[in-house]
Amino acid sequence: LFPDGVTRYIELKAGASLSPEQRDFRDMAKPHGVWALCRSVEEVEATLRGWGARLRNHPFQRTEEAA
């Protein structure tokens, strides 16, 4: 639930296609702007930021120096 009161959904997939049930949910949610398909953690972060989420750093987050 976001500060604007809207619940949003992210489908995180690693290469596999969506199941019929996942496609049905996507087709219901996407027109309302509350669904996104992401293929990496970086895409999840970008999507959340695009939706206006304020993310915190966590102890396991990679930094440029560690990469």
Side-chain angles (χ1 to χ4, degrees), residues 26-34:
R26 174 205 58 201
D27 294 346
M28 185 255 334
K30 194 171 183 179
H32 304 286
V34 298

Side-chain angles (χ1 to χ4, degrees), residues 9-60:
Y9 304 91
I10 292 176
E11 185 73 44
L12 180 58
K13 302 290 277 186
S17 60
L18 296 174
S19 70
E21 293 83 6
Q22 291 168 325
R23 286 193 297 272
D24 289 345
F25 186 82
R26 174 205 58 201
D27 294 346
M28 185 255 334
K30 194 171 183 179
H32 304 286
V34 298
W35 184 92
L37 174 63
C38 296
R39 300 283 182 183
S40 69
V41 173
E42 292 80 15
E43 285 185 12
V44 170
E45 181 180 355
T47 298
L48 289 170
R49 288 187 192 283
W51 284 339
R54 291 181 286 172
L55 305 179
R56 294 187 248 170
N57 291 333
H58 57 81
F60 303 111

